[in-house]
Amino acid sequence: MNYFSYKKALIKLRLNRDKENKALSKSFEEAKRTGGLEKAREVYQSESFDLDNINEEIAVLITQYLRHKAEKKFLPVPPLNDKDGFWKQGQYTGKWYLTNKGITELQSLIRKDGKEKREMFSYWISILFGLIGAITGLIAVIKR
């Protein structure tokens, strides 16, 4: 999964979530006005299924993207179990996805790997520029 297809799918899901959230809020307020707070809670419980389902789909999409990035860089992904608190099984979709703790851990590993690669690149670039400077100085001395 590349970055652009991930972002496109994420934006689409978030727009659907916002639309569903507005519809749920409207239904909640209408039920609260007509039937009171207890009726509004019943409406919220019965109609929040779609919103929760979309939230799980977003979590699954984020998990797939982060796993893809980590596996591409040969980084360890937290083991798939709910003992460590890194994973959670979806109540509606049944799919496993990373919790906030798991997302933070995996993002930290990905950022650390990127930082190490940038540091290694800058190390070799500084050596290269040093060599170019030394060669340029040597040439200037020889030509005099």
Side-chain angles (χ1 to χ4, degrees), residues 18 55 60:
D18 292 343
N55 283 331
V60 168

Side-chain angles (χ1 to χ4, degrees), residues 115-127:
K115 181 180 177 186
E116 289 172 358
K117 286 184 179 182
R118 284 189 302 278
E119 286 174 353
M120 183 61 71
F121 179 74
S122 65
Y123 172 77
W124 286 108
I125 289 295
S126 65
I127 288 176

Side-chain angles (χ1 to χ4, degrees), residues 2 31 35 50 52 55-56 95 116 119-120 128:
N2 67 26
D50 291 333
D52 293 339
N55 283 331
E56 277 188 17
K95 295 179 182 177
E116 289 172 358
E119 286 174 353
M120 183 61 71
L128 179 66

Side-chain angles (χ1 to χ4, degrees), residues 6 9 15 17-18 29 32 42 89 133 137 140:
Y6 160 70
L15 287 174
R17 181 182 62 188
D18 292 343
E29 289 300 322
K32 187 177 175 183
E42 285 179 24
Q89 188 170 17

Side-chain angles (χ1 to χ4, degrees), residues 28 42 47 50 69 74 80 128 139:
F28 180 80
E42 285 179 24
E47 294 186 15
D50 291 333
K69 278 181 76 171
F74 301 106
L80 184 64
L128 179 66
I139 290 173

Side-chain angles (χ1 to χ4, degrees), residues 79-116:
L80 184 64
N81 62 37
D82 55 356
K83 294 176 186 172
D84 300 330
F86 291 125
W87 292 92
K88 181 178 180 181
Q89 188 170 17
Q91 183 179 2
Y92 302 100
T93 61
K95 295 179 182 177
W96 286 87
Y97 58 89
L98 289 168
T99 61
N100 288 339
K101 181 180 176 182
I103 288 171
T104 303
E105 179 72 22
L106 202 51
Q107 283 179 334
S108 152
L109 286 173
I110 292 169
R111 286 184 184 125
K112 183 179 176 185
D113 181 65
K115 181 180 177 186
E116 289 172 358

Side-chain angles (χ1 to χ4, degrees), residues 4-17:
F4 296 109
S5 63
Y6 160 70
K7 276 300 193 183
K8 181 181 174 184
L10 187 61
I11 288 170
K12 184 178 175 183
L13 284 171
R14 285 183 173 165
L15 287 174
N16 285 343
R17 181 182 62 188

